[in-house]
Amino acid sequence: MSPAIGGTLARLDGRAKVSGSARYSGEVPIPHLAHAVLIGAPVANARITAVDATEAEQSAGVLAVLTHLNLPKVAMQPSLLPSLAGLAAPGHTFFPMQDDTVHYAGQHVAVVVADTLERAEHAATLVRIDYDTTPPVTLLEEIKDQAYEPQKIFGGLLPGRQVRGDIEAGLRDAEVRVEAMYEFAANHHNPIEPSTTTAAWDEVGRLTLYDGIQGPTSTQLTAAAFLGVPPAQIRVVSNYVGGSFGSKAMVWPHATLAAMAARHVGRPVRLALNREQMFTSCGHREQQRQHLTLGARADGKLVAVRHHKLSLTSHFDDWAEPSLQSPAIIYDYPNYEGIYRLGRGNINTPTFTRAPGEATGMFAMESAMDELAERIGVDPVELRLRNCSDTDPATGDPWSSSGLRECLERGAELFGWAGRDPRPRQRREGNWLIGTGMATAAYPHAQPVNPQRARARIYSDGSVIVEAGVSEFGTGISTAMTLVAADGLGVTVDQVRFAGGNTDMPNITAAVGSAGAGAASAAVHLSVTALREQLIGMAVADEQSPLHGADPAAVVVEGGRMALRDRPDAGETYSAMLQRKLVPDVEAIGNWIPPAQDVGHGMHTFGAQFAEVGVDAELGLIRVRRMVGVFAPGRVLNRRTAHSQLMGGMLWGLGQTLLEATRMDARSGRWANASLADYLVPVNADSPDVVVDTVEVHENVVNPLGVKGVGEIGVVGVAAAIGNAVYHATGYRARSLPIALDDILSQAS
Amino acid sequence: MQVTVTVNGEEYTRDVDTRLLLVHFLRDHLGLTGTHWGCDTSNCGVCTVWLDGVPVKSCTVLAVMADGHAVRTVEGLERNGTLDPVQEGFVQCHGLQCGFCTPGMMLTARWLLDHNPDPSEEQIREAISGQSCRCTGYENIVRSVRWAAEHSTVEATK
């Protein structure tokens, strides 16, 4: 359709980021700035019996100490709805420092404000808080007998139980059954930029919040609700965000606390979470256990799947990441039962973590599929191909687009899968046992529910500005939107400036669930299309234009010049027309109304993952040697940024499989490894050779440009591909993430 | 306590709290916010700067320890409006996503190239393994540093 979309434009924010001039939310220069430091409860289940802030208040430079005794009450508590809903999006239905109860360790119990960060940090050590404690409950083991089945999970978006067909009969009649239990450690996002909010009130009571967030409107509406201030009086700026991965998808209390502190001291306040606080202040992937049973015919065709999940949530929210959704529909089988069960503990509400749900659920599904393949003697790729579905098995509707078969075949080809000896422990290089494994990747296509808007304006010199309130947290959205705008308007990329990052812009819902590029590109595309039509309309109505009287539908635009499709010599540039008519600028709004989820199509993104590992036969050390991922994400707006995101997702999967675990110290109810020294993430030396490819699918349902997004799908299936490769290398079947060296060693001995 | 620190060739004298970390001195006192702050345990590496020509993690250096010494930050990589080849490499090879780890990565990369102008991929990976990219653009970061090695027309800028 167009020259720019699908190209490989270098990031337009690259220069700002390599020169150090990109200002993240804690870096905007503000005169007279004060610094706030949070104090988190050191205990997990308690009542506060006494607060003594005297010494802290008298400490040099201190402006205020806020606790539940003097912090204002919030105006209201909005309900927990994922930010994709476009409404207020608090991370949990709880606001700290409203009473004397401590529900989880790290819960904010005081805010200390001083003129410098160092003085605030020092004074925070002087605040004395006494607690009356009760033993905390923080582990799955402790709640499993009191677990309940919630009506809804995931902020009320999904039912707690889903069934189709007759699961009992399906499993009973199956010729082959694979049943296993899978364990998952809690994970933390650990973006490298800790969440930071800078709050400044002006003299007439308007608030500006500089906040690192996946969508500025989320912060605006949430802070407005808590503070009881009209949203129109709150401006949120989120120019650059230093990574998020879900930790900045919802709005956590620190943003509102920064505003409360700034109002209290009458000065602008910056509130930065430190790394330890990042483990207790913005959610996590919950510790969970999944029980999966597959029933199949002797040829490997699935007939029934039972998938139960047990996980830990907070005392105030029924939150479980939707681990059961993708396994329920990726293959064609008639009988299904998926049940979520929850137990309440002294922890914060969990939240979205990159590939929320699929990263865990698909590990279970695709590990079990590997066992099934071995059991019946069918190649793992062939087993998936036999089970591919042309329709959404839950509804019978056709996929808007799939591409799963192509991904599996292309991945197998790129990886060199053919001819693989399926028997474990057959390949050895020195001390290294070598194995290969694969898995299907799948991620549901999420849609925003409210209109998405963008504004396009062209000036008489032909330069164009397009605005939409998106947030740049690493995805390359600004670069991609520049391509979309250039194509839609028929101008060159260097004529377009895309601007986003604040709530003065037309509203775009927070970019979560891989829906960001689809939502923003739809609005931007509609805005520039409307602008182009307006400009062409002006030309054909203008007696002095070479296009006067032409059929607008016969006019094409390229390089900013409108011309007749059949007679390219007859035409003029946008700028020539505007200058002749003495029109300084023309503007148009794009307003995209997303289709409902029940549009008669199943909407899902698919892919395939392949991995090769080496396992040290004596030490149990696992090294991923190479990975291949092939995905079908619909239209790719910018090949360069899309591939980079997919590759990043695959390395996230590697971290989840081999390194990442937040362990609870059950005696204290505190995370035992809340630092980057103790929570392991992949470093460069862990990073293997990664090949990323995409297959083209015809997609015209999800949004105007057919964009399904690339943020999460790269993660999904990696854990199973690596786990299956470990089995192939060693004969050890990993059913617990992350895979521990000692598990492999104990198996070997 | 009064300290005088030469940052990117310019001398700055300031009164500072003795507990002030170098990273916050650079960011909050000098406004050089290209140096980021991420973990406080010297694991993530986003605060990496040069102290007397050697990369250090400025979250574990006190500002007073830099008194009388020379610091180089990301703002000092560019010369006369021209990007350092390392900076150019990160732009050309998409060595960044969110960009938060980028300044620290580049300062380590610059040091590596000054001491080993033609590093292997393995040597690059090893050199920047004290720094985390969570997005994670490791493959492209390695390519970016290789790009810089291949396009180093400017003299080593120690």
Side-chain angles (χ1 to χ4, degrees), chain B residues 115-137:
Chain B
H115 293 78
N116 178 3
D118 188 25
S120 68
E121 280 203 13
E122 210 48 45
Q123 289 168 322
I124 296 169
R125 286 186 192 284
E126 199 61 38
I128 54 182
S129 276
Q131 284 155 290
S132 300
C133 162
R134 190 61 168 151
C135 283
T136 80

Side-chain angles (χ1 to χ4, degrees), chain A residues 24 27 640 644 660 682 688, chain B residues 27 92 97-98 134 138-139:
Chain A
Y24 297 79
E27 302 177 342
R640 196 188 288 222
S644 178
E660 297 191 32
Chain B
R27 288 167 56 82
Q92 294 299 330
Q97 287 185 35
C98 81
R134 190 61 168 151
Y138 287 138
E139 288 276 316

Side-chain angles (χ1 to χ4, degrees), chain A residues 72 134 141 249 286 303 343 345 350 447 486 515 543 653 660 716 739 746:
Chain A
T134 307
E141 270 313 299
E286 66 271 20
V303 292
Q447 297 273 36
E543 287 179 1
E660 297 191 32
V716 185
I739 302 173
S746 62

Side-chain angles (χ1 to χ4, degrees), chain B:
Chain B
M1 177 177 169
Q2 195 178 73
V3 295
T4 300
V5 186
T6 304
V7 182
N8 301 327
E10 208 167 316
E11 217 170 73
Y12 296 89
T13 300
R14 295 283 190 280
D15 265 318
V16 301
D17 213 331
T18 50
R19 62 191 152 204
L20 179 68
L21 296 171
L22 179 58
V23 61
H24 297 310
F25 175 72
L26 295 168
R27 288 167 56 82
D28 292 345
H29 292 246
L30 305 187
L32 296 172
T33 54
T35 302
H36 297 144
W37 167 71
C39 74
D40 275 341
T41 49
S42 57
N43 295 99
C44 78
V46 297
C47 64
T48 301
V49 300
W50 288 13
L51 185 62
D52 293 338
V54 178
V56 297
K57 290 174 175 171
S58 61
C59 75
T60 33
V61 176
L62 292 166
V64 294
M65 292 161 72
D67 185 28
H69 295 272
V71 171
R72 188 181 186 192
T73 71
V74 63
E75 289 89 350
L77 279 177
E78 201 172 320
R79 291 293 158 96
N80 307 319
T82 306
L83 294 181
D84 185 280
V86 168
Q87 293 173 300
E88 194 61 47
F90 272 73
V91 174
Q92 294 299 330
C93 301
H94 199 90
L96 58 88
Q97 287 185 35
C98 81
F100 208 69
C101 72
T102 310
M105 290 279 184
M106 293 190 305
L107 282 155
T108 302
R110 179 72 266 155
W111 186 88
L112 172 69
L113 293 176
D114 284 354
H115 293 78
N116 178 3
D118 188 25
S120 68
E121 280 203 13
E122 210 48 45
Q123 289 168 322
I124 296 169
R125 286 186 192 284
E126 199 61 38
I128 54 182
S129 276
Q131 284 155 290
S132 300
C133 162
R134 190 61 168 151
C135 283
T136 80
Y138 287 138
E139 288 276 316
N140 288 343
I141 289 169
V142 173
R143 276 179 215 142
S144 304
V145 180
R146 275 306 310 165
W147 190 98
E150 287 154 20
H151 293 78
S152 279
T153 48
V154 295
E155 74 285 6
T157 50
K158 251 193 265 191

